Amino acid sequence: MEGIQHRMFEVNGINIHIAEKGKGPVILFLHGFPELWYSWRHQILALSNMGYRTVAPDLRGYGDSDIPESVDSYTCFHIVGDLVELIDVLDPHERNVFVVGHDWGAVLAWFLCPFRPDKVKALVNLSVPFLRFDRNIKPVELWRAYYGSDHYISRFQEYGEIEGELAWVGTDRVEKEFLTDFPVLLPKGKLFKRPLDEPITLPSWLSEEEANYYVTQFQKTGFTGPLNFYRNLDRNWELLKPWVGCKIETPAKFMMGDKDLVYHMPGMKDYIHNGGFQEDVPGLMEVVVLEGVDHFISMEKPSEVNQYIFDFFSHFIEPKKKEPSAVCFKPSL
């Protein structure tokens, strides 16, 4: 992580930690669950060497950023409010940036575009496409109807109870399970498929040292802040009613892996490939599905993701104006 600088900014009434490197146009990277700025380490290093200032915050409730106590402090408006003020601080002249989001970071980036389209030059989102706002059914009810009460989103609603179960399993085990084989179901009394005395074999893209960085951070903070994002799904549904039917015009590119659980949700492939996604996001310019790749795409295939991001954002970089050449005039004799 050589050359990465860490800073704190006070935005929207809280302190947000960022990691950054490089000079040039700003790319703002937004992480998902249960992650940190660290999930963008490969992109920070690569794209800072390609002429960008790469910035990855810990979202509110995560890592070294503040963790508000109230569940109500984690609505989409609170978090997008953090991002808007952070963008203004990062780029006080243009006050808009390139954005890359993954998982919850992608959800927030989709929200940022209709809320404040002036803040986003172009967008690359990973793993979670834009999802239509449904007037008729609350999100938690929808997930429970599909997957039952053991579905992780349903379990995450149980304030205090799920934290207790995660604490009993232990942060080391929980974080490595989430990163290695994210569970759709979290049955009470047996959260994960593997017995707890069975060693976890980390995927090839995640070293023990890298996994331990996450573990160390979540041992300090716990999971309540991140879980509060999920506890506001229904509240967000209520708040977002004015945006039902909105279209996202921001130039956008979307990438995901064909082994991602999101890709195999009911109706998702049809939505992505047969016109629904494009209808909701008229600015969508390309969809890329990488074969053999799971959910944590930025870490699983960093070289490919880096190149896709660079190539896409390059379309929106204005060439530098050449300075006029100095011309010397000799006086005529």
Side-chain angles (χ1 to χ4, degrees):
M1 298 297 100
E2 184 178 350
I4 295 179
Q5 296 182 323
H6 295 266
R7 294 203 284 167
M8 299 293 290
F9 289 110
E10 184 177 352
V11 297
N12 199 23
I14 66 170
N15 295 305
I16 292 289
H17 162 256
I18 70 160
E20 67 172 331
K21 188 174 190 290
K23 295 181 179 180
V26 175
I27 303 178
L28 181 64
F29 292 93
L30 307 177
H31 68 77
F33 175 90
E35 303 177 76
L36 302 159
W37 74 267
Y38 189 67
S39 293
W40 299 112
R41 58 196 178 279
H42 304 297
Q43 287 68 45
I44 291 173
L45 295 175
L47 287 154
S48 64
N49 289 328
M50 296 178 181
Y52 288 93
R53 180 186 175 194
T54 53
V55 179
D58 287 329
L59 298 176
R60 71 163 55 202
Y62 282 86
D64 291 322
S65 292
D66 282 353
I67 306 174
E69 290 186 11
S70 172
V71 175
D72 295 337
S73 296
Y74 292 83
T75 71
C76 57
F77 288 128
H78 288 87
I79 304 163
V80 172
D82 299 343
L83 301 178
V84 169
E85 286 200 25
L86 182 60
I87 289 168
D88 289 345
V89 171
L90 294 173
D91 194 342
H93 300 294
E94 293 190 28
R95 293 177 178 264
N96 63 9
V97 299
F98 294 108
V99 178
V100 180
H102 171 256
D103 188 78
W104 260 107
V107 174
L108 296 165
W110 291 125
F111 289 156
L112 178 61
C113 290
F115 294 172
R116 291 299 302 271
D118 58 309
K119 296 299 179 186
V120 186
K121 293 178 180 177
L123 170 67
V124 174
N125 262 345
L126 312 178
S127 299
V128 178
F130 178 79
L131 301 176
R132 290 176 176 171
F133 307 133
D134 190 319
R135 291 180 186 274
N136 301 313
I137 184 167
K138 293 183 178 181
V140 177
E141 292 178 10
L142 181 65
W143 295 116
R144 190 175 288 122
Y146 275 128
Y147 295 107
S149 58
D150 284 341
H151 186 251
Y152 72 95
I153 288 179
S154 296
R155 294 298 322 280
F156 285 175
Q157 305 306 309
E158 302 163 2
Y159 187 87
E161 181 176 345
I162 189 65
E163 282 95 334
E165 292 184 54
L166 296 175
W168 183 82
V169 172
T171 304
D172 183 276
R173 184 75 184 202
V174 167
E175 184 64 16
K176 290 175 181 177
E177 287 279 7
F178 279 144
L179 292 174
T180 301
D181 185 16
F182 196 94
V184 175
L185 303 179
L186 291 171
K188 293 184 179 181
K190 191 179 186 305
L191 294 183
F192 302 109
K193 292 182 289 187
R194 278 179 287 261
L196 294 182
D197 58 356
E198 180 181 314
I200 295 177
T201 301
L202 296 176
S204 60
W205 48 267
L206 185 68
S207 70
E208 192 72 29
E209 181 182 5
E210 290 169 326
N212 286 338
Y213 181 86
Y214 291 98
V215 171
T216 299
Q217 290 295 308
F218 282 105
Q219 283 174 335
K220 291 190 298 184
T221 65
F223 291 98
T224 296
L227 293 175
N228 285 342
F229 283 54
Y230 292 92
R231 290 168 180 152
N232 277 280
L233 282 169
D234 284 351
R235 178 63 173 149
N236 290 341
W237 175 82
E238 295 173 357
L239 295 171
L240 289 168
K241 291 289 182 73
W243 283 269
V244 171
C246 75
K247 307 294 182 185
I248 294 179
E249 306 286 349
T250 305
K253 180 170 187 165
F254 178 70
M255 302 172 59
M256 75 185 315
D258 68 345
K259 290 188 175 181
D260 195 322
L261 291 173
V262 178
Y263 193 53
H264 296 279
M265 286 167 46
M268 185 60 71
K269 291 180 185 178
D270 180 68
Y271 173 73
I272 290 173
H273 298 296
N274 293 327
F277 192 10
Q278 185 73 65
E279 179 183 344
D280 291 337
V281 186
L284 183 65
M285 299 173 70
E286 187 178 7
V287 172
V288 176
V289 179
L290 296 179
E291 292 185 7
V293 180
D294 213 312
H295 184 66
F296 297 101
I297 184 171
S298 65
M299 293 186 280
E300 293 178 53
K301 292 292 180 181
S303 297
E304 291 89 334
V305 169
N306 295 343
Q307 194 63 51
Y308 277 122
I309 292 171
F310 177 78
D311 290 346
F312 185 64
F313 287 161
S314 295
H315 295 301
F316 308 96
I317 298 291
E318 295 182 5
K320 293 182 179 179
K321 295 180 180 179
K322 292 184 178 180
E323 295 292 331
S325 301
V327 179
C328 297
F329 295 96
K330 291 184 179 180
S332 57
L333 298 177

